[in-house]
Amino acid sequence: MTTGNINVSVENIFPLIKKFLYSDHEIFLRELISNATDATLKLKHLTNIGEAAGVEYGDPVIEVKIDKEGKKLHILDQGVGMTADEVQKYINEVAFSGAEEFLEKYKDSAKDSGIIGHFGLGFYSAFMVADKVEIITKSFKDEPAAHWSCDGSPQYSLEESDRKERGTEIILHINGDSEEFLEDARIEELLVKYNKFMPIPIKFGTREESKTTGEVEDAKEEKITVDNIINNPEPAWTKQPADLSDEDYKNFYRELYPMQFEEPLFHIHLNVDYPFNLTGILYFPKLTNDINIQKDKIQLFQNQVFVTDNVEGIVPEFLTMLRGVIDSPDIPLNVSRSYLQADGNVKKISNYITRKVADKLKSLFNENREDFEQKWNDIKVVIEYGMLSEEKFFEKAEKFALYPTVDNTYYTFEELQEKIKDQHTDKDNKLVILYASDKDAQHSYISEAKDRGYEVLLMDSPIVSHLMQKLETSKENISFARVDSDSLDNLIKKDEEQISKLNDEEKETLKTLLEGVIPSEKFTVQLEALDSNTAPFVITQPEFMRRMKEMSATGGGGMFGMSNMPEMYNLVVNTNHELVGKMLASKTQAKKERLINQSLDLARLSQGLLKGEELTKFVKRSYDLIK
Ligand code: ADP
Ligand code: MG
């Protein structure tokens, strides 16, 4: 037996390991299973290339066993194993220097918990949870097995062992603070979290399975005991798209998110090996308007080892609403988020993902437009958000972003422009796009616009005011106007001058009369000579102010504090309407006021603004009028 000192320059590194990695102790298991997997895959490779003469690769499994009484956790593999020399080299020297380097690099930034525990510490992370660690290992080479043991001080012992089977057993003597890792449920939870898709089968105990035996007539249900294999060693993303059916993709979605009952809308298979390596499958889930609710996230893997479900910085922000997996050995994992954003490779990955998603959307649009239109409502939030946040995506989305009308006709922007250019272009050659945000609430305005031959879009996603702002600035001579933001004649000004039935003097009298009755703190009276069929009173809310308020409320735009401003309304009075003439001509002031109040309430009613006491008064007055 030999004993020795592990080469330490940082005195007593184990307490440091324990301290620095306090928050993330659980990653030790992922590290040890990764090592066991590496050792098994190395053996596979060596047998494949004929460098392991006489070795039977077989069907190796990795096994995790809990010895509750002995307070030990065992991790066993049937991989390449190590000779005593290799233990000396890889464990005492190399692995240690790896751990040392890791701590050296991160001891100042240890407070940034984002960097902690993301690979690199390797084998020595075992000391986070164990007082003592043993390795019993037999190389595939014809050499005696070795037994290494270390109690967390820089001293270790290394002696021969009589182990005969090829492979490695790691024994952790779990420390008093870490007894949770002797619980079956806890270990199973960790194995599922980190190793669910690792490439070598991982066995953890056994489980009961029912099996039908015998012929059809006298078939029997029988309970049999089988190995409890934690992982699926060949997850869908490691396969070729050509080898997968739609059903396979859906099954994999269920495998990833067992608690999701809604099916994904469609998937995107990522597969690239130059200039970086990346595979994965992204799914578009059905999204609601609430962009905050999201618990099932995209999972990041490195060679089938789970790393994190925080893909911020790697996946463009608007796509973090998607689900699925990304696997790449080229994403640096030991670094802080701010570093990630500056990393060239990561930027390329993010751009690649954006491009793939845009291409997929475009091909779905081209291949089956009807289906795409049906899905539009469920995916528009992601697309609109992407158009706002990624210039490249905005450009690509030109080809598939849809603008539905209130009657469910879906146009691309180009189609829309073509369709409405004659009717909607005003005298200054500006294309005015009318929209509604709520079909019911703005019904009277919509139907008025439709009666006059205008198209009205339905723009009802939460960030749509930002998107319109963006479209207005990136395209020439267009503007969006909500149907209730002014009278149609003002929204789309044509050359023809409307002739007013009232002369200037009458207009003055009318204005004074109205302002005496209508509360000026609520409405600004605006006299207009409109079509005599247009309603006498219409309440409008100027586009600019309302949109700024909306943008300020959804963040990132508008003006600071705008969302607290009181609502502003105009009262458009159609001086050409018969009823308005009647207001002027009525004999008594009381009759005039009754006409004005009744008309104002009707206008409020169409805008959904008549409530409470005012509504009660209106109803009463209406009965009086008809009795
Ligand atoms: P890394 O895995 O990044 O190389 P580790 O500290 O996890 O660093 O492991 C150090 C080395 O110890 C490995 O590179 C490998 O040579 C050896 N090793 C660790 N675990 C095993 C194992 N189960 N079987 C064979 N070799 C192992
Ligand atoms: Mg390792």
Side-chain angles (χ1 to χ4, degrees):
M1 159 166 155
T2 51
T3 56
N5 264 336
I6 295 167
N7 235 352
V8 243
S9 58
V10 178
E11 198 48 50
N12 239 353
I13 204 156
F14 301 113
L16 279 177
I17 293 177
K18 287 177 198 175
K19 202 171 113 207
F20 279 127
L21 299 173
Y22 185 76
S23 61
D24 235 352
H25 281 179
E26 64 181 39
I27 58 110
F28 79 93
L29 189 60
R30 177 188 68 188
E31 294 295 335
L32 297 179
I33 301 241
S34 294
N35 286 349
T37 304
D38 290 347
T40 313
L41 290 173
K42 275 181 205 162
L43 186 73
K44 184 179 186 179
H45 184 68
L46 291 175
T47 50
N48 278 347
I49 62 169
E51 299 249 314
V55 172
E56 180 72 50
Y57 177 66
D59 291 311
V61 291
I62 293 165
E63 189 172 0
V64 179
K65 283 199 283 204
I66 294 175
D67 170 2
K68 241 186 138 90
E69 247 145 65
K71 303 209 161 146
K72 287 185 283 188
L73 186 67
H74 300 247
I75 293 118
L76 304 97
D77 69 64
Q78 296 150 33
V80 277
M82 286 178 277
T83 63
D85 283 352
E86 285 166 342
V87 173
Q88 175 64 28
K89 186 168 160 204
Y90 296 133
I91 299 297
N92 293 338
E93 291 162 23
V94 177
F96 196 79
S97 66
E100 199 182 36
E101 194 183 293
F102 179 88
L103 288 179
E104 200 45 56
K105 207 158 154 192
Y106 295 117
K107 67 181 175 203
D108 297 328
S109 54
K111 276 166 253 108
D112 181 355
S113 62
I115 64 153
I116 285 181
H118 281 168
F119 290 55
L121 191 58
F123 171 74
Y124 277 90
S125 62
F127 286 98
M128 294 192 292
V129 299
D131 293 328
K132 177 179 167 189
V133 179
E134 295 176 73
I135 305 175
I136 300 166
T137 180
K138 163 94 182 70
S139 168
F140 72 98
K141 296 170 193 159
D142 186 21
E143 279 193 43
H147 182 177
W148 178 93
S149 168
C150 178
D151 66 1
S153 70
Q155 277 106 42
Y156 67 87
S157 69
L158 182 59
E159 58 190 339
E160 244 185 68
S161 143
D162 54 11
R163 179 183 167 109
K164 288 281 169 282
E165 327 76 78
R166 176 196 75 226
T168 301
E169 174 169 11
I170 310 280
I171 306 166
L172 308 186
H173 298 256
I174 298 294
N175 67 35
D177 291 339
S178 305
E179 287 185 4
E180 63 187 284
F181 299 116
L182 294 168
E183 300 297 331
D184 283 357
R186 179 75 171 125
I187 292 297
E188 179 140 3
E189 177 200 333
L190 291 181
L191 291 172
V192 169
K193 176 171 173 189
Y194 290 108
N195 308 298
K196 194 172 168 185
F197 300 113
M198 288 195 63
I200 305 293
I202 299 162
K203 176 186 168 181
F204 182 56
T206 54
R207 60 191 167 83
E208 301 271 283
E209 206 171 66
S210 54
K211 193 189 167 197
T212 358
T213 51
E215 291 302 308
V216 188
E217 297 95 70
D218 52 358
K220 270 202 271 307
E221 277 286 301
E222 211 184 320
K223 289 262 181 251
I224 54 161
T225 305
V226 294
D227 286 353
N228 179 29
I229 300 294
I230 294 288
N231 53 333
N232 168 6
E234 290 185 342
W237 83 82
T238 62
K239 299 179 186 166
Q240 288 303 313
D243 297 333
L244 295 163
S245 66
D246 256 7
E247 203 45 45
D248 292 329
Y249 283 107
K250 284 181 188 157
N251 287 338
F252 181 61
Y253 186 77
R254 280 187 281 269
E255 206 178 324
L256 268 181
Y257 309 112
M259 303 309 283
Q260 264 306 329
F261 299 107
E262 190 102 57
E263 295 218 324
L265 296 167
F266 50 84
H267 66 263
I268 301 161
H269 200 130
L270 307 169
N271 197 341
V272 59
D273 48 27
Y274 183 82
F276 49 84
N277 236 297
L278 181 130
T279 50
I281 300 173
L282 294 179
Y283 292 93
F284 257 77
K286 249 193 156 118
L287 288 171
T288 57
N289 266 358
D290 190 349
I291 49 180
N292 297 318
I293 292 180
Q294 201 204 18
K295 47 183 198 320
D296 284 333
K297 300 189 196 156
I298 296 176
Q299 303 179 0
L300 178 67
F301 288 77
Q302 196 171 77
N303 294 324
Q304 295 174 237
V305 186
F306 174 80
V307 180
T308 176
D309 63 3
N310 178 3
V311 293
E312 197 189 313
I314 296 159
V315 169
E317 197 197 352
F318 77 102
L319 294 176
T320 53
M321 289 184 263
L322 304 192
R323 303 206 172 106
V325 295
I326 289 173
D327 189 340
S328 174
D330 293 335
I331 297 171
L333 299 168
N334 278 323
V335 295
S336 64
R337 295 280 151 194
S338 53
Y339 177 85
L340 263 190
Q341 258 128 35
D343 185 277
N345 234 356
V346 171
K347 189 74 206 143
K348 274 187 214 135
I349 289 175
S350 165
N351 288 342
Y352 165 79
I353 294 171
T354 304
R355 200 177 65 234
K356 283 296 270 194
V357 169
D359 290 349
K360 177 73 179 195
L361 289 166
K362 187 166 167 245
S363 74
L364 286 170
F365 174 82
N366 288 341
E367 279 156 26
N368 190 345
R369 175 154 178 172
E370 202 181 319
D371 185 54
F372 190 80
E373 288 179 358
Q374 266 167 19
K375 286 173 175 156
W376 179 252
N377 250 318
D378 296 312
I379 60 177
K380 66 183 177 193
V381 181
V382 175
I383 297 176
E384 290 168 352
Y385 191 30
M387 290 169 74
L388 275 173
S389 54
E390 301 271 324
E391 200 49 40
K392 284 254 164 57
F393 189 79
F394 180 80
E395 285 158 25
K396 295 212 160 211
E398 193 75 10
K399 296 273 186 297
F400 55 76
L402 293 175
Y403 301 85
T405 68
V406 288
D407 303 311
N408 292 322
T409 310
Y410 290 78
Y411 296 115
T412 63
F413 197 84
E414 209 181 290
E415 290 164 353
L416 178 74
Q417 249 174 327
E418 189 52 36
K419 170 89 185 165
I420 68 173
K421 65 171 193 273
D422 295 333
Q423 183 71 347
H424 288 240
T425 304
D426 71 6
K427 63 179 172 47
D428 302 320
N429 216 13
K430 183 173 225 164
L431 186 74
V432 181
I433 301 164
L434 298 175
Y435 71 97
S437 59
D438 184 326
K439 269 206 268 192
D440 288 333
Q442 291 142 16
H443 184 271
S444 61
Y445 301 83
I446 297 169
S447 67
E448 159 105 33
K450 284 188 0 192
D451 285 349
R452 303 211 7 207
Y454 291 119
E455 287 279 349
V456 181
L457 299 184
L458 182 64
M459 306 278 268
D460 59 357
S461 13
I463 49 169
V464 85
S465 45
H466 297 265
L467 182 64
M468 291 186 296
Q469 201 78 5
K470 170 132 181 86
L471 288 164
E472 285 172 352
T473 47
S474 63
K475 297 192 182 295
E476 298 269 299
N477 254 346
I478 64 144
S479 78
F480 284 87
R482 206 166 89 177
V483 275
D484 61 346
S485 59
D486 204 337
S487 68
L488 284 165
D489 296 285
N490 277 340
L491 289 177
I492 307 176
K493 281 207 176 81
K494 298 285 171 77
D495 259 334
E496 67 257 28
E497 206 32 70
Q498 273 282 354
I499 306 147
S500 177
K501 284 187 185 166
L502 303 185
N503 62 34
D504 286 353
E505 200 181 315
E506 285 167 321
K507 277 193 215 156
E508 248 342 281
T509 323
L510 177 66
K511 192 135 200 229
T512 321
L513 171 66
L514 291 171
E515 282 171 356
V517 182
I518 289 159
S520 63
E521 72 280 6
K522 287 189 183 143
F523 302 100
T524 309
V525 175
Q526 179 187 332
L527 299 191
E528 303 277 347
L530 304 173
D531 191 296
S532 60
N533 289 321
T534 300
F537 279 19
V538 178
I539 291 169
T540 60
Q541 200 182 10
E543 177 75 17
F544 178 76
M545 289 298 275
R546 200 208 66 249
R547 203 194 293 175
M548 287 298 140
K549 270 167 74 80
E550 280 170 8
M551 286 170 71
S552 169
T554 44
M559 284 176 217
F560 181 72
M562 286 284 284
S563 55
N564 297 325
M565 299 263 295
E567 302 283 350
M568 300 250 303
Y569 295 101
N570 289 339
L571 178 70
V572 176
V573 177
N574 179 5
T575 56
N576 285 344
H577 197 280
E578 212 190 322
L579 192 63
V580 175
K582 228 170 134 186
M583 286 171 193
L584 262 182
S586 289
K587 290 267 154 23
T588 65
Q589 179 66 14
K591 183 129 192 250
K592 286 177 179 168
E593 281 183 22
R594 209 173 53 170
L595 278 177
I596 295 169
N597 281 326
Q598 186 71 3
S599 304
L600 177 64
D601 282 352
L602 287 168
R604 280 166 149 169
L605 212 52
S606 326
Q607 189 46 298
L609 290 172
L610 196 60
K611 286 178 189 120
E613 193 185 344
E614 287 170 331
L615 179 59
T616 314
K617 274 190 189 159
F618 166 79
V619 172
K620 208 157 166 272
R621 190 184 330 115
S622 300
Y623 281 128
D624 285 345
L625 282 170
I626 55 174
K627 83 180 169 204

